[in-house]
Amino acid sequence: MGKVWRALVAVALLAGSPSAASSQTDEHPPSPLPARTLSTDTLTSPIATLDNPDTAERRVELRRWIEAFSAWQEWSTQWRSRRQPGWFTGSRQRPQKPDPPSWLAARCETVFDDADPLRQACALLAAWREEGAPAQQIRQVRVIAVSENEEPPKTTWWENVHVDLMWPALQGQASIYGVLGTHLTTEVGGRLQVFTAPGAMLLNVPTRTGGRVWKFAANYGIGYRLMDFTFPGGRPAELHLNLAKMWMMSDAAELVTGRTIDVIGFSVTFKRQ
């Protein structure tokens, strides 16, 4: 009988323990965890793209290089395969390609995302490297060589101004000489040239009385470029052969040959050094 009572007491104690725990829980509920608000600024704020401690200085350096190299690319696209004419010289000095910041190559090794702010700079760096590749340089040299051979050389107006010296008349018995003159030409094909405007020349002409007089005459004709040569001192020049007709610019009644004569002679033009 005693064993039965002990068993009933044990069952009653086990049944009452959860209730006590439950009531204790209801009376003293656990404190909630403190709320924490996530700021969107921590998610959307820009990530530093340049290494410390000189981030600001590197940004300025990078911006300057991007502007300089972009300007050089525009120049290279237009003038890479030909000479850029200058204001007072035949061609301008070719600008040097600007070097990128020394730290940019290492930084670009970690750029894999298209949204990375350094993506543009790394793309320009790749273009900079291609511009400096030996194959690219060889291709540029070939393009320049081909273009120089195919395109006619550009000349300035004074390179077509001729200095005329000692032009004899085709009428040998007349003893007429063009001593000094000048004329302007333009090329019509190959070495052949024509006078752009009437030239002028000082002539020494015999008279009907046996004397000689000085006369000015205008001329017009054609020329042929013979050869290139160099004056002492290194000045390049060209030698031309000209055939022209002269018209006396003053009274020719006293002259043996009349008002017009045909002449032939050499002329010289000066070229850029």
Side-chain angles (χ1 to χ4, degrees):
M1 188 68 177
K3 293 182 179 179
V4 173
W5 280 107
R6 284 195 297 269
L8 292 175
V9 171
V11 171
L13 290 175
L14 290 177
S17 296
S19 299
S22 177
S23 62
Q24 183 179 3
T25 302
D26 294 340
E27 292 177 359
H28 303 284
S31 300
L33 294 175
R36 184 177 181 182
T37 304
L38 294 177
S39 174
T40 57
D41 295 337
T42 60
L43 301 178
T44 60
S45 59
I47 301 174
T49 58
L50 306 178
D51 298 332
N52 289 325
D54 52 347
T55 300
E57 289 77 2
R58 288 189 173 185
R59 285 178 179 171
V60 173
E61 182 184 10
L62 182 62
R63 185 181 70 252
R64 291 176 178 174
W65 176 75
I66 290 176
E67 293 174 354
F69 182 61
S70 298
W72 184 90
Q73 280 185 313
E74 294 179 1
W75 173 90
S76 179
T77 301
Q78 183 176 5
W79 300 106
R80 175 189 301 172
S81 59
R82 54 197 181 103
R83 295 187 180 95
Q84 182 180 7
W87 290 104
F88 303 103
T89 59
S91 60
R92 297 183 183 180
Q93 185 176 3
R94 302 178 73 84
Q96 296 294 327
K97 183 177 61 173
D99 293 330
S102 58
W103 49 265
L104 183 59
R107 178 63 179 83
C108 286
E109 292 179 358
T110 62
V111 175
F112 303 102
D113 188 0
D114 291 341
D116 195 306
L118 278 184
R119 189 68 177 179
Q120 177 189 5
C122 294
L124 287 177
L125 178 63
W128 182 88
R129 288 171 172 170
E130 291 179 0
E131 292 286 352
Q136 181 76 6
Q137 294 177 355
I138 295 174
R139 183 167 61 254
Q140 292 181 10
V141 171
R142 290 177 178 175
V143 170
I144 294 174
V146 171
S147 62
E148 289 180 350
N149 292 331
E150 292 180 351
E151 295 181 1
K154 296 179 175 60
T155 59
T156 55
W157 66 271
W158 56 264
E159 292 183 87
N160 294 319
V161 176
H162 294 243
V163 177
D164 310 327
L165 297 171
M166 298 304 296
W167 285 18
L170 292 179
Q171 298 90 333
Q173 71 278 9
S175 300
I176 299 175
Y177 301 99
V179 180
L180 179 64
T182 183
H183 68 277
L184 185 67
T185 64
T186 184
E187 292 188 359
V188 294
R191 295 173 178 264
L192 184 64
Q193 304 164 338
V194 296
F195 288 26
T196 305
M201 179 165 282
L202 178 64
L203 301 177
N204 185 265
V205 187
T207 64
R208 296 181 185 277
T209 60
R212 301 188 71 86
V213 295
W214 293 96
K215 295 286 185 180
F216 277 102
N219 55 61
Y220 192 83
I222 59 174
Y224 186 82
R225 179 163 51 88
L226 295 176
M227 58 179 292
D228 299 333
F229 68 99
T230 303
F231 277 102
R235 184 69 182 185
E238 291 181 345
L239 181 65
H240 308 261
L241 179 64
N242 304 274
L243 179 63
K245 181 176 284 293
M246 296 278 189
W247 290 271
M248 299 297 173
M249 300 176 65
S250 59
D251 185 18
E254 59 179 326
L255 303 182
V256 175
T257 59
R259 196 173 186 85
T260 62
I261 57 173
D262 297 325
V263 293
I264 188 172
F266 297 101
S267 64
V268 174
T269 56
F270 298 96
K271 313 300 290 184
R272 292 176 294 182
Q273 292 184 341

